[in-house]
Amino acid sequence: MPKNMHKIMEEKLYSRNFKGFGMDMNPVVSLGAGLIVLIFSAFALFNLEQANAVFVSVKSAIVGNFDWLFILSSNFFIGVSLFIAFSKLGKVRIGGVNSRPEFSNFAWYSMLLSAGMGIGLMFWAVGEPLYHSEFLPPIFSSQDAMTQSLATTFFHWGFHPWGIYALISLALAFFAYNKKLPLSLRSVFYPLLKDKIFGFWGDLIDILAVVACLFGLATSLGLGVQQINSGLTYLFGIESSVTMQVMLIAVITGIATISVVSGIDKGVKFLSELNIKMAFIFMVVVLVLGPTAFILKTFSNSLGLYLNDFVQASFFISTGESTWQASWSVFYLAWWISWSPFVGMFIARVSKGRTIREFVLAVLIVPSLLSFMWLSVFGGTAIHINQLFDGALFSTVQNNLPVALFEMVSYLESPMLEGFIRTGLSILGTLLVISFFVTSSDSGSLVVDNITSGGKLDSPVPQRVFWACMEGFIAAVLLIIGGQEALSALQTAVISTGLPFAIILILMSFMLIDSVRKSYHKQREIKQRDHFEEMIDEFDIVTEADTEESDVA
């Protein structure tokens, strides 16, 4: 790595930035990503049905022909992360020998969960376990349908997505903080492309990352606002319509903008910690007032089945005509991989000062276990209620998935859940969806802002506001154009980016291992040198003391 790297970046990368109107952004990356967004929006506007058909065909071709790549690569990513963590390389500290964490463990975990999959867990925690309990999946085998359905849900929301996130966020953090490169996806290719990352090839990589981030966030925000609207309809009878959802996007984007302007250590950190506190209260209340014993037994059985059959399920590739794996497991893997630049960038941004071993274990294990607990409480409660009421809750999932969470709360039977308390629980659920919505928007804005500025950590406030508004604008436009159908088309387009990103992550893995190995030897030399200097200093002190004693004598 050249010693004058900052000067090289300034001359070849930052000097190209547009710096008018309070902005500081790479025009090639910003305009390139914006052009792709406009082309997609125009395609959807003029012929949504054709656009949907095209993207569905592309997704089917990718998922159908490259299912083996998504499955095997996701296992490879987990393996690489664990190898680096448990080898001698795990001792390397992100940011250098003397670097220390910027955030407490609670704040760190809160931000990981909120950015990673908070809004997704709110949306799917009731619906997915119910669906699997009705149509038993093939990857886990159990005599108990409830155990099998929850183990499958764990598989989709557990170690595989967080293994992908751990690897890409580790690579981004290492190259940014240890190699002093920009915090951007282009930086992980420095060992391969060298200074070319500051030119065309780096711009191309970052354009792909920005498009995936913008489209992924717009999809999540669109789905999230539908769930918020469903909650308000359930609680107050407010009409569920596109107009209302666009208004909600405007309000919540405004809140996210305020958060993004205040920065990570204030707005994003505060909202993330608030998310986890509210989520904990919500989960504990449902656990206590719901079928507690049933939830705990199902959690234990499902976790045991998941861990026992983990290897077999991880390497299972369907060879028959069944479309289940393509519709669920491969769909999820493609989604997590396409979503990984955004989540990885954000995790990297807040993880300076951690050792690689601490980083990997924390990102891989802690969020997975918390997700298992959440899914067990809400999924287990939903399955129990569905059995008691002859499939009524599953009918809601099929007809109106966004309202399923609130419908589940209405079915809870407890003397304590009358009137105010039941309404209060639904209000807490709605506030929690809103809070996760805001956190996804503000953390996403910071990530897109970092990438479009060339990897700078501190960009101008007007630029942060611009990208926060842009995310909300994209989601609102798509809802106006075609509602759920437009969001589905966008989601399909995002999943299609999973294929190139899977290949990028595979290449990145080898470059990361080699770079961390070199850094390990360098840090070891520094520690040995410091230890030697301490010994010399101690020897000098002892010599001086002996000399003084001799003089006295």
Side-chain angles (χ1 to χ4, degrees), residues 15 35 44 64 70 123 140 152 158 171 252 265 279 354 359 367 414 423 440 446 454 467 496 502 515-516:
S15 62
L35 183 62
F70 289 115
F123 195 83
F140 289 99
T152 303
I252 297 171
D265 55 344
R354 311 277 174 175
F359 175 89
S414 171
T423 303
S440 294
L446 287 169
W467 287 116
S496 300
S515 298
V516 173

Side-chain angles (χ1 to χ4, degrees), residues 16 80 113 115 118 140 159 271 294 314 319 354-355 365 389 395 420 453 457 459 465 479 496 504 506 517 542:
R16 296 190 290 134
V80 170
L113 275 167
F140 289 99
F159 296 142
L271 285 174
F294 176 83
S314 298
T319 55
R354 311 277 174 175
T355 65
I365 304 298
F389 292 94
S395 178
F420 175 76
S453 66
L457 297 181
S459 52
V465 174
L479 282 172
S496 300
I504 286 173
I506 292 171
R517 182 181 57 81
V542 170

Side-chain angles (χ1 to χ4, degrees), residues 329-342:
S329 298
V330 179
F331 170 87
Y332 268 124
L333 290 175
W335 175 260
W336 300 134
I337 290 172
S338 64
W339 190 241
S340 63
F342 153 57

Side-chain angles (χ1 to χ4, degrees), residues 43 45 145 148 207 303 469 494:
F43 191 18
L45 176 63
Q148 190 171 345
I207 287 172
L303 184 59
C469 294
V494 173

Side-chain angles (χ1 to χ4, degrees), residues 330-387:
V330 179
F331 170 87
Y332 268 124
L333 290 175
W335 175 260
W336 300 134
I337 290 172
S338 64
W339 190 241
S340 63
F342 153 57
V343 180
M345 282 276 294
F346 183 76
I347 293 176
R349 177 68 180 83
V350 299
S351 299
K352 185 179 180 180
R354 311 277 174 175
T355 65
I356 288 180
R357 183 168 300 147
E358 175 191 9
F359 175 89
V360 170
L361 291 179
V363 175
L364 186 60
I365 304 298
V366 175
S368 295
L369 291 177
L370 292 175
S371 298
F372 297 159
M373 293 168 59
W374 179 270
L375 291 166
S376 296
V377 170
F378 291 92
T381 302
I383 291 171
H384 181 76
I385 289 173
N386 195 57
Q387 290 178 333

